[in-house]
Amino acid sequence: MAKKLDIIQSHFVPLPVENIDTDQIIPARFLKATTKEGFGKNLFRDWRYRNNDEAQPIKDFVLNNPLYTGSILVAGKNFGCGSSREHAAWAIADYGFNVVVSSFFADIFKNNALNNGILPVTVSERFLQQIFELSNEALLRINLFDQTIMIGSTGASESFDINPYKKTCLMNGYDDIDYLLSMKDKIQQYEMPITKSLNQLG
Amino acid sequence: MSKTLFEKIWDKHVVSAIKDGPSVFYIDRHFIHEVTSPQAFNGLNKRGIKVFRPQQTIATADHNVPTLNQHLPIQEEQSRMQVEALIKNCTAHGVELYGLGHPYQGIVHVIGPELGITQPGMTIVCGDSHTSTHGAFGSIAFGIGTSEVEMVLSTQCLLQTKPKLMRITVDGILKKGVVSKDIVLYILSKISASGATGYAVEFAGAAIRSLSMEARMTICNMSIEMGARCGMIAPDETTYAYIKGRKFAPEGVEWDKKLTYWKTLFSDVDAVFDKEYHFDAADISPMITFGTNPGMGIPITGTIPTKDTVTETDRNGLEQSLRYMGLESGNPILGQKIDYVFIGSCTNSRIEDLRMVANFVKGKRKASNVEVWVVPGSKQVEQQAIQEGIDKIFEEAGFILRQPGCSACLGMNEDKIPQGKYCISTSNRNFEGRQGVGARTLLASPLSAAAAAVTGVVSDIREWLN
């Protein structure tokens, strides 16, 4: 059971870079763990530290700038492309984000986010640019029930799409596995030899 | 009603549809490996349930295994524990494991096809984005996250929303020195690294039909680099001939029955796609990437783009990319010094790739400034290479033939490219740090990689072919 999401109001961390792939979010060398915990400390590892050394933080990188805080990450288009590693979603959640805003998400990352109680909010390119122009003091307000995102200081808002099933899951903290397990009878029926030969499955 | 290849397979696998939501989608084959499965097994154990259909699940160790001295215990502790967890989980749940030392071990997307597990019309998933590879057989195959691995392990199903459909047709005849890797890098350079996001892509046309199964796999493999949910090619005589006689291929009456079904798997003439692209094979040259996403490719004789000549999709990222790569706009890429050559990965590590490289390097020697790693895709590929004497050719050329695994494609094990070094690589991703912290990757075909190995710089393979 994941945490329930409804209204999220928070400062945000801007990362105006396009095509951020999951190798940047969490490099492969940190995928050796067999549990889901603790990936946040290596989130954006090689953009955060010089020479892979925690004693050498890269000052320009936004996660190292104490002025930027909040549970919302705002990133350039095609966020989460590349490897299917769910560790990327785990790292983002473990770091403390529960919303990622972008103008475009890669498919697998979007699913991984939703399966970990992270809300991916797709906004227009224009709205994304408006957010990037805001100061670090600005607040974003996301209302999952209404499917809207609003800039606190200007009142500018936009609605976003989410699959109604996934919305219900996020609002209630349900997960897909619970749902699929409840479908076992139907699945077994589908597998019956007669259905299977009709379908000529592999 | 006319249907696309994708729709024919999709429709047969919908167990149930949720109103306004995704479908419960049945999975025929599930491949698992050591990196993205342990947390899924933990989830099953926490719920106290077993793998629902272990006989439809196949495991191997590939991402995090050493590619030298595989007979010895894995030295790095975390890696060893991860591989041991896979053994433990597979044993506890009755899942067949082709682990280190097994004659079928190898990169998951190489062993599935070579064992005849991958077949037309199937739905295939794995916790790895390059699962799209298996689509070359006319199956719906895609990468999933670990939560989804847990879903498939526990119910053999996923919740899926039907993607939009795209067809990419490549007609015409390929020019000398141009291979399937060049086709897919060319398509990527045209439609960008996000050009197919949200779509299932079917590759069609005479140039695609002319390819061998292994060459087709290279193309479907990189469909994820366009963002596609999956890539697929309708099965034909080439497909059937490849499957026939393999370890898990159907036999006798079963073969006839399946073949009859497979022959129905094509997009009907008037089937409708949401988006179509057409390319001419004659326009394709040997390709190479210059930047930090696989869409940043140019003909090997081209110049590194400027802000004005780069595609719009990559305009904003160009400066950061070139800074990372240590390359300059307007310069030719030919002659760029190379430090490492990596021939391997689920994109290009099959026997045809190794033969292609061996044919070229036979009697030649690598340049003194480069280190060349050849990592076969599987134990079977490795054995075949040894049988054909390819290992000797590599040895004489100064190449190092390592043991099967994902290796320097993702820099997860110790096979890493050092900071700032240039690697021409037959793999699939040139992201920052992909092959090691600060490593600079140039993606290219096995032929172009072989040429660079011999000269020590980016070279045009066609200079040797005339």
Side-chain angles (χ1 to χ4, degrees):
Chain A
M1 182 87 113
K3 261 207 297 226
K4 297 179 189 182
L5 285 183
D6 183 7
I7 290 171
I8 302 112
Q9 178 160 299
S10 165
H11 295 295
F12 65 95
V13 177
L15 197 49
V17 179
E18 294 173 0
N19 297 312
I20 295 176
D21 58 80
T22 52
D23 275 82
Q24 306 318 313
I25 300 173
I26 183 93
R29 61 186 189 279
F30 300 111
L31 309 186
K32 296 183 182 188
T34 53
T35 62
K36 296 183 183 180
E37 289 79 36
F39 288 100
K41 68 176 190 294
N42 293 317
L43 177 68
F44 293 112
R45 175 79 188 197
D46 294 331
W47 287 357
R48 242 162 116 183
Y49 304 110
R50 211 173 300 284
N51 302 322
N52 191 23
D53 180 0
E54 279 166 46
Q56 299 182 52
I58 297 171
K59 291 216 171 57
D60 297 348
F61 187 63
V62 70
L63 291 193
N64 294 327
N65 185 340
L67 292 176
Y68 289 95
T69 58
S71 69
I72 303 171
L73 176 67
V74 184
K77 72 175 175 214
N78 199 23
F79 185 80
C81 59
S83 159
S84 61
R85 59 189 69 164
E86 194 162 315
H87 312 67
W90 299 333
I92 286 170
D94 188 50
Y95 187 86
F97 294 115
N98 54 11
V99 176
V100 184
V101 179
S102 177
S103 55
F104 196 85
F105 287 94
D107 254 1
I108 305 178
F109 174 80
K110 197 189 221 176
N111 280 341
N112 288 343
L114 288 164
N115 284 331
N116 286 280
I118 301 167
L119 174 63
V121 175
T122 308
V123 296
S124 68
E125 196 59 46
R126 206 176 55 88
F127 197 77
L128 186 70
Q129 291 315 317
Q130 281 181 35
I131 300 176
F132 284 142
E133 283 160 18
L134 297 170
S135 82
N136 62 306
E137 283 165 15
L139 286 169
L140 294 179
R141 181 184 167 89
I142 287 139
N143 185 322
L144 177 55
F145 182 77
D146 291 342
Q147 296 178 220
T148 54
I149 172 166
M150 190 180 85
I151 297 172
S153 52
T154 65
S157 79
E158 215 175 71
S159 59
F160 61 87
D161 281 340
I162 181 168
N163 183 299
Y165 165 81
K166 279 293 178 191
K167 178 175 166 179
T168 312
C169 287
L170 280 181
M171 293 195 70
N172 296 292
Y174 298 156
D175 74 25
D176 286 357
I177 301 178
D178 296 332
Y179 179 78
L180 284 169
L181 284 169
S182 77
M183 296 289 290
K184 270 265 174 84
D185 286 350
K186 257 201 153 149
I187 296 168
Q188 272 167 326
Q189 209 179 338
Y190 171 89
E191 285 180 320
M192 299 265 280
I194 178 110
T195 329
K196 205 162 174 175
S197 75
L198 277 176
N199 280 347
Q200 302 258 358
L201 300 177
Chain B
M1 207 187 93
S2 312
K3 281 186 180 180
T4 62
L5 166 63
F6 180 89
E7 289 167 320
K8 287 179 182 177
I9 303 170
W10 173 274
D11 291 350
K12 283 196 193 317
H13 289 82
V14 174
V15 174
S16 152
I18 304 175
K19 195 175 173 295
D20 296 329
S23 296
V24 177
F25 189 65
Y26 194 81
I27 303 302
D28 295 321
R29 294 288 179 273
H30 185 198
F31 293 102
I32 59 172
H33 62 83
E34 75 278 23
V35 177
T36 59
S37 69
Q39 293 88 349
F41 278 109
N42 292 350
L44 258 68
N45 295 340
K46 221 182 270 174
R47 287 173 200 263
I49 52 176
K50 288 281 175 200
V51 172
F52 183 50
R53 294 290 178 246
Q55 72 279 15
Q56 286 165 251
T57 315
I58 304 96
T60 192
D62 57 0
H63 278 65
N64 195 13
V65 298
T67 56
L68 292 174
N69 294 319
Q70 286 184 346
H71 63 290
L72 298 176
I74 301 175
Q75 288 189 356
E76 210 264 326
E77 195 191 347
Q78 266 195 308
S79 303
R80 190 177 64 245
M81 281 167 60
Q82 202 170 46
V83 172
E84 281 169 359
L86 182 70
I87 298 171
K88 201 179 105 219
N89 287 327
C90 287
T91 310
H93 289 265
V95 170
E96 183 82 15
L97 167 65
Y98 302 136
L100 278 187
H102 194 285
Y104 296 158
Q105 180 266 337
I107 304 176
V108 61
H109 311 308
V110 174
I111 69 167
E114 81 182 0
L115 289 168
I117 297 169
T118 302
Q119 294 170 20
M122 284 181 169
T123 51
I124 300 170
V125 295
C126 172
D128 186 276
S129 60
H130 292 108
T131 308
S132 56
T133 312
H134 306 262
F137 290 79
S139 60
I140 296 181
F142 53 94
I144 55 177
T146 297
S147 296
E148 293 170 311
V149 170
E150 190 177 336
M151 292 173 211
V152 181
L153 288 177
S154 51
T155 66
Q156 205 58 34
C157 285
L158 279 175
L159 290 173
Q160 281 289 302
T161 310
K162 194 171 161 184
K164 289 182 283 184
L165 305 175
M166 178 188 288
R167 179 162 57 190
I168 299 178
T169 306
V170 188
D171 278 318
I173 297 169
L174 286 174
K175 290 194 290 195
K176 246 187 183 175
V178 178
V179 294
S180 70
K181 181 63 162 287
D182 300 308
I183 301 179
V184 73
L185 287 175
Y186 176 83
I187 296 172
L188 269 157
S189 75
K190 295 292 176 192
I191 77 168
S192 92
S194 57
T197 304
Y199 290 89
V201 177
E202 180 177 345
F203 297 94
I208 303 290
R209 291 260 148 262
S210 73
L211 300 173
S212 71
M213 281 319 294
E214 297 194 357
R216 293 179 189 185
M217 283 187 242
T218 302
I219 294 191
C220 288
N221 173 276
M222 288 191 76
S223 53
I224 181 63
E225 309 314 334
M226 307 162 197
R229 177 82 62 84
C230 65
M232 61 203 306
I233 296 171
D236 59 12
E237 294 301 327
T238 307
T239 321
Y240 317 142
Y242 177 95
I243 298 170
K244 194 155 195 171
R246 289 184 186 266
K247 171 87 181 161
F248 295 103
E251 290 172 12
V253 184
E254 192 60 23
W255 170 268
D256 296 338
K257 219 173 86 186
K258 287 235 166 123
L259 189 62
T260 310
Y261 171 56
W262 295 347
K263 288 187 171 171
T264 67
L265 297 174
F266 53 86
S267 289
D268 296 327
V269 181
D270 44 359
V272 181
F273 290 83
D274 298 291
K275 197 161 191 173
E276 296 229 38
Y277 286 102
H278 292 268
F279 298 108
D280 184 348
D283 293 338
I284 307 176
S285 313
M287 296 287 293
I288 192 160
T289 63
F290 61 88
T292 52
N293 77 54
M296 298 172 114
I298 47 170
I300 208 156
T301 49
T303 52
I304 297 162
T306 63
K307 272 243 174 212
D308 298 324
T309 60
V310 76
T311 54
E312 201 196 324
T313 357
D314 287 321
R315 192 158 297 150
N316 293 336
L318 182 69
E319 207 178 310
Q320 183 178 338
S321 260
L322 292 183
R323 199 181 319 122
Y324 179 85
M325 292 298 293
L327 297 174
E328 271 179 50
S329 287
N331 283 354
I333 194 101
L334 272 183
Q336 169 63 43
K337 195 168 160 270
I338 296 296
D339 307 292
Y340 285 79
V341 177
F342 174 63
I343 296 166
S345 88
C346 55
T347 314
N348 283 121
S349 66
R350 298 180 179 83
I351 192 66
E352 286 178 14
D353 299 312
L354 269 49
R355 282 184 194 137
M356 201 191 298
V357 172
N359 280 341
F360 174 75
V361 301
K362 192 169 185 176
K364 299 186 182 75
R365 180 100 202 133
K366 76 168 183 75
S368 57
N369 60 301
V370 292
E371 189 157 330
V372 186
W373 298 341
V374 183
V375 184
S378 70
K379 287 307 273 187
Q380 293 204 73
V381 171
E382 182 188 39
Q383 284 311 307
Q384 184 69 27
I386 292 169
Q387 252 178 44
E388 294 180 21
I390 289 173
D391 58 329
K392 296 279 177 326
I393 296 174
F394 288 160
E395 201 184 317
E396 281 159 21
F399 292 13
I400 301 164
L401 180 63
R402 302 173 77 108
Q403 291 170 303
C406 298
S407 183
C409 171
L410 84 162
M412 191 171 171
N413 71 353
E414 53 275 29
D415 307 348
K416 292 182 178 70
I417 308 304
Q419 176 117 24
K421 297 292 182 191
Y422 289 92
C423 176
I424 188 163
S425 177
T426 69
S427 57
N428 40 56
R429 289 186 175 137
N430 50 354
F431 298 149
E432 286 185 27
R434 172 79 178 180
Q435 297 195 288
V437 180
R440 292 159 163 171
T441 304
L442 306 167
L443 300 175
S445 78
L447 271 181
S448 298
V454 166
T455 59
V457 297
V458 173
S459 303
D460 187 350
I461 185 70
R462 291 170 298 188
E463 285 175 26
W464 285 267
L465 300 178
N466 294 319

